Amino acid sequence: MTALDTAAAESRDILTRLGVPASVWSSDGFEARSPIDGSVAGRVAETPDLDAVADRAVAAFHPWKRLPAPRRGELVRLLGEELRASRDDLARLVTLEAGKIVSEGLGEVQEMIDICDFAVGLSRQIYGLTIASERPGHHMRETYQPLGPVLVISAFNFPVAVWAWNACLALVCGDPVIWKPSEKTPLTALATHAILDRALARFGDAPAGLSQLVIGGREAGEALAADPRIPLVSATGSTRMGRAVAQTVAARLGRSLLELGGNNAMVVTPSADLDMAVRAIAFSAVGTAGQRCTTLRRLLVHESIADGLIARLKAAYETLPVGDPRGDGILIGPLIDEASAHGFDTALAQAVEQGGRIVVGGDRVDRDGVYVRPAIVRMPSQTAVVEHETFAPILYVLTWSDFDEAVAMQNAVPQGLSSCVFTDSVREAEAFLSAWGSDCGIANVNIGPSGAEIGGAFGGEKDTGGGRESGSDAWKAYMRRQTQTVNFSRELPLAQGVKFDV
């Protein structure tokens, strides 16, 4: 066995253990590669009949929505059990296919387990409202009903967790699920579905077609997004992709739940605990090789502390171990492919053209796969390249003198996902969280912008798409809202005092 095919061989071993049948391989399907060393794990057969997929989902919806929500939650509970039993193997596969370091791969599967637990509890707490009626002898209430098949389009950087965020909520809400994963990460999707199949077998009476996996490219996602039988499309990816999905779904008056680009900033004030800030910056800016939607991309530092903080960051970056993410102590794995590395190189060149100075990093690492050294770039202002999200480990550093100026800089980009401030000032912290502070969907104090917990609703504003997934009341997106009025009197009064006697 050569070094080049090690990752591919390990992927196949894991898939076999997880129960993925050999029949998924095809001589002319989608090529599944490991970014660790560029090796080809195999070719995955494309889903041939998308119309049949939608038909099966619609057929599954009718019996599934009739089951009580706590019974539907039992399936998700069983899924959580199966994920616990397969956690190490699935996490290893995430590392092999997405290039995440071992602890991040484990963390992603743990996130799936956590959302299972959340959704099981939710299955006994799907609630509505009782509303006072103006008419005597009337009872008015608001309820949430199952919506219908949900299409989940996921991205390569969280190849399984994003599906779980959506699928677990959709299933307890009474909705079948169709999953179109990134064509860059089909293996983790196949493995996850094999794990779900074991839960379905234990559950016993789930309808066929309740959860389906679609292997395909952009055209498959576009076709399913245009299908009027699918009332909700939840799409995670680039802003460009999200705009296309939103227009397609809106044209048929469907719903879209979009989780798109982020250009996340940290504001560091003179009172900040810089020891904490350095640690938060390092993880947020270089974790997952900068390939998170919540990656820290802009560091906005008060001018009085900028030189010292940059010197500390430079020293930390120079010691960051880059390499095979399976290795002990490695913190930076590969970029997903050569196109990502090209974007990294191009953005750095543009930053220099726009007056930036590379403080550290920015070069390639000479080894199989696509590896780069995370870069810090000091910028004179928030130029065009800074306002653009490059999905790679580049941290732009800018300075400010007035706190209101820092907040304005934070908000002056098209994206609005995550944000944070490091300060020991209650006034600055509360101002950052106020209506005139951060305009992002996520705003943190003294923690970085990356690494959200599943208990809170996840999502952002502006070019981030406006969607919310995971915790809080994000479940309402997967249901239809209905206002109900019951007249238990023997009269028929009309609302607003209207008289219409016949």
Side-chain angles (χ1 to χ4, degrees):
M1 182 182 296
T2 66
L4 191 61
D5 60 14
T6 301
E10 189 176 356
S11 297
R12 289 217 177 202
D13 286 345
I14 292 172
L15 289 166
T16 299
R17 286 199 299 273
L18 291 177
V20 176
S23 60
V24 304
W25 303 114
S26 170
S27 60
D28 59 356
F30 278 93
E31 190 174 76
R33 286 183 174 268
S34 171
I36 292 176
D37 54 17
S39 57
V40 179
R43 292 182 178 272
V44 183
E46 188 170 0
T47 303
D49 189 346
L50 300 181
D51 192 59
V53 168
D55 278 344
R56 286 192 291 268
V58 170
F61 178 51
H62 298 294
W64 187 246
K65 67 183 176 183
R66 290 176 176 272
L67 288 181
R71 173 61 180 154
R72 300 192 297 252
E74 174 66 8
L75 172 59
V76 177
R77 188 189 69 79
L78 294 172
L79 173 60
E81 287 187 358
E82 295 295 339
L83 285 169
R84 284 179 169 90
S86 302
R87 177 174 178 252
D88 290 347
D89 271 342
L90 183 56
R92 190 71 166 185
L93 193 60
V94 168
T95 291
L96 290 166
E97 191 173 39
K100 293 189 173 185
I101 63 173
V102 172
S103 67
E104 288 194 88
L106 287 166
E108 178 158 356
V109 180
Q110 186 60 51
E111 195 166 352
M112 301 173 76
I113 294 168
D114 292 346
I115 198 66
C116 285
D117 291 348
F118 178 91
V120 171
L122 171 65
S123 71
R124 293 181 179 274
Q125 297 183 63
I126 293 175
Y127 57 84
L129 293 173
T130 297
I131 304 168
S133 173
E134 67 183 67
R135 290 172 282 186
H138 284 60
H139 178 200
M140 188 161 61
R141 62 196 178 200
E142 184 178 78
T143 62
Y144 288 85
Q145 310 283 17
L147 178 64
V150 174
L151 170 63
V152 180
I153 301 174
S154 61
F156 76 87
N157 60 325
F158 278 85
V160 289
V162 166
W163 170 82
W165 283 6
N166 286 274
C168 293
L169 297 190
L171 287 170
V172 301
C173 288
D175 305 329
V177 179
I178 301 169
W179 183 14
K180 211 299 281 183
S182 168
E183 54 268 37
K184 297 177 182 179
T185 52
L187 302 184
T188 45
L190 289 165
T192 299
H193 237 251
I195 293 168
L196 174 61
D197 283 343
R198 291 199 289 275
L200 286 165
R202 293 173 61 192
F203 183 78
D205 59 348
L210 180 62
S211 181
Q212 299 177 81
L213 180 61
V214 170
I215 302 298
R218 176 178 175 179
E219 296 78 11
E222 289 174 342
L224 289 167
D227 196 316
R229 292 169 291 182
I230 302 173
L232 174 63
V233 178
S234 176
T236 301
S238 68
T239 298
R240 177 199 57 77
M241 180 275 286
R243 284 199 177 98
V245 168
Q247 291 171 21
T248 297
V249 176
R252 60 178 177 83
L253 300 182
R255 298 188 200 173
S256 57
L257 193 167
L258 302 175
E259 298 288 355
L260 311 176
N263 193 350
N264 315 294
M266 176 190 293
V267 175
V268 184
T269 74
S271 68
D273 182 328
L274 295 186
D275 291 334
M276 286 179 58
V278 167
R279 292 178 60 200
I281 292 164
F283 170 70
S284 300
V286 307
T288 324
Q291 298 172 121
R292 287 181 177 229
C293 54
T294 53
T295 291
L296 177 62
R297 308 203 183 279
R298 296 178 295 138
L299 183 62
L300 314 180
V301 189
H302 190 269
E303 58 190 12
S304 67
I305 59 172
D307 290 342
L309 180 56
I310 291 171
R312 294 182 63 173
L313 288 172
K314 180 176 183 293
Y317 268 53
E318 288 173 340
T319 66
L320 288 172
V322 179
D324 188 325
R326 297 169 293 182
D328 292 340
I330 295 296
L331 295 178
I332 316 296
L335 295 179
I336 191 67
D337 55 22
E338 184 60 39
S340 293
H342 177 71
F344 177 78
D345 295 338
T346 300
L348 288 175
Q350 291 175 347
V352 171
E353 290 173 2
Q354 294 168 22
R357 177 175 62 85
I358 298 176
V359 175
V360 66
D363 54 323
R364 299 281 190 105
V365 177
D366 185 17
R367 58 177 298 138
D368 293 329
V370 183
Y371 294 79
V372 299
R373 298 193 188 280
I376 296 175
V377 186
R378 191 157 185 177
M379 297 297 295
S381 62
Q382 200 151 258
T383 64
V385 72
V386 180
E387 293 183 357
H388 172 76
E389 181 195 31
T390 300
F391 220 58
I394 301 174
L395 180 63
Y396 300 109
V397 183
L398 301 98
T399 59
W400 52 273
S401 58
D402 177 77
F403 187 74
D404 288 343
E405 175 193 2
V407 173
M409 290 172 65
Q410 136 67 33
N411 294 343
V413 294
Q415 309 85 0
L417 178 52
S418 191
S419 60
C420 61
V421 62
F422 268 74
T423 180
D424 278 351
S425 165
V426 173
R427 288 188 175 89
E428 289 172 341
E430 291 296 335
F432 190 78
L433 302 178
S434 71
W436 56 92
S438 168
D439 65 356
C440 293
I442 299 169
N444 299 329
V445 176
N446 292 333
I447 59 172
S450 194
E453 300 179 32
I454 60 96
F458 181 89
E461 304 300 328
K462 302 188 295 187
D463 278 5
T464 302
R468 293 297 186 274
E469 294 173 330
S470 193
S472 185
D473 65 348
W475 59 270
K476 292 179 179 178
Y478 305 84
M479 307 199 82
R480 61 179 176 86
R481 188 170 176 166
Q482 186 175 74
T483 301
Q484 304 171 341
T485 306
V486 176
N487 179 3
F488 58 91
S489 75
R490 295 190 180 277
E491 305 296 330
L492 192 66
L494 300 178
Q496 292 83 48
V498 173
K499 301 295 183 182
F500 196 86
D501 296 327
V502 294

